[in-house]
Amino acid sequence: MGKKLLMICGDYCEDYETMVPFQALQAVGHTVHAVAPDKKAGDFIHTAIHDFEGAQTYSEKPGHRFTLNASFADVKPEQYDGLVIPGGRGPEYLRMHASVMALVKHFTSTGKPVAAVCHGAQLLAATGDIKGRTISAYPACQVEVELAGATYAQIAVDQAVTDGPFVTAPAWPAHPAWIAQFLEVLGTKISH
């Protein structure tokens, strides 16, 4: 039976890290409600495409408009089985919204499954609930993960790590591993 999942989005979340899990989790039978603060179902966020082109850090280009399918104001976190947090620049400012942090804190403090990729770890670190955990993130977020009392997972960009209810990965190349591990934590069985 499919689970009901919440995805917290914001402008300039990474395009792949928003679109791919949203679609993949629905494809295996889960309901995914994508929300953003101050937005309602039918509104959209701007996404960004991050790439590596030889500079010291990633470049950023406009991505797709991603249409939200639920209203932030209507979210009742106790009605959801798990949380998905895309990366990109969204988490950087989303952690400044008390309402966003209250939602994230519901999942991190109750032990419900949480999947965060790339800069999504910024929201996890801001909860104070990852102390003692092993958490992956984009390498630029290592300092925040460690300051929050977690061990930063030094893994390849296409790998993911699970520690209890937390499934984390460094960036979108990890989608196959990250989504597979999240499905396992959710108890999703896929027959071939």
Side-chain angles (χ1 to χ4, degrees), residues 8-65:
I8 296 181
C9 306
D11 282 322
Y12 301 106
C13 274
E14 212 288 327
D15 189 277
Y16 293 161
E17 294 169 1
T18 306
M19 302 270 191
V20 173
F22 180 76
Q23 294 172 339
L25 291 166
Q26 289 181 89
V28 297
H30 297 302
T31 298
V32 183
H33 286 169
V35 300
D38 305 319
K39 293 187 183 267
K40 62 187 183 319
D43 290 348
F44 66 86
I45 60 163
H46 296 273
T47 66
I49 296 170
H50 297 105
D51 207 354
F52 298 91
E53 302 175 299
Q56 291 179 324
T57 189
Y58 55 84
S59 64
E60 183 173 87
K61 296 172 182 60
H64 296 90
R65 287 183 176 183

Side-chain angles (χ1 to χ4, degrees), residues 110-128:
T110 60
K112 290 182 180 180
V114 175
V117 64
C118 195
H119 287 73
Q122 290 176 314
L123 286 173
L124 299 182
T127 67

Side-chain angles (χ1 to χ4, degrees), residues 51-97:
D51 207 354
F52 298 91
E53 302 175 299
Q56 291 179 324
T57 189
Y58 55 84
S59 64
E60 183 173 87
K61 296 172 182 60
H64 296 90
R65 287 183 176 183
F66 177 75
T67 302
L68 303 165
N69 65 349
S71 299
F72 187 86
D74 296 339
V75 171
K76 293 178 177 48
E78 61 278 0
Q79 295 178 350
Y80 291 91
D81 301 304
L83 176 66
V84 180
I85 307 172
R89 279 196 294 133
E92 172 185 275
Y93 68 86
L94 287 172
R95 62 189 166 168
M96 305 305 286
H97 285 261

Side-chain angles (χ1 to χ4, degrees), residues 92-113:
E92 172 185 275
Y93 68 86
L94 287 172
R95 62 189 166 168
M96 305 305 286
H97 285 261
S99 56
V100 169
M101 290 313 304
L103 288 176
V104 175
K105 184 92 172 145
H106 168 82
F107 292 92
T108 60
S109 66
T110 60
K112 290 182 180 180

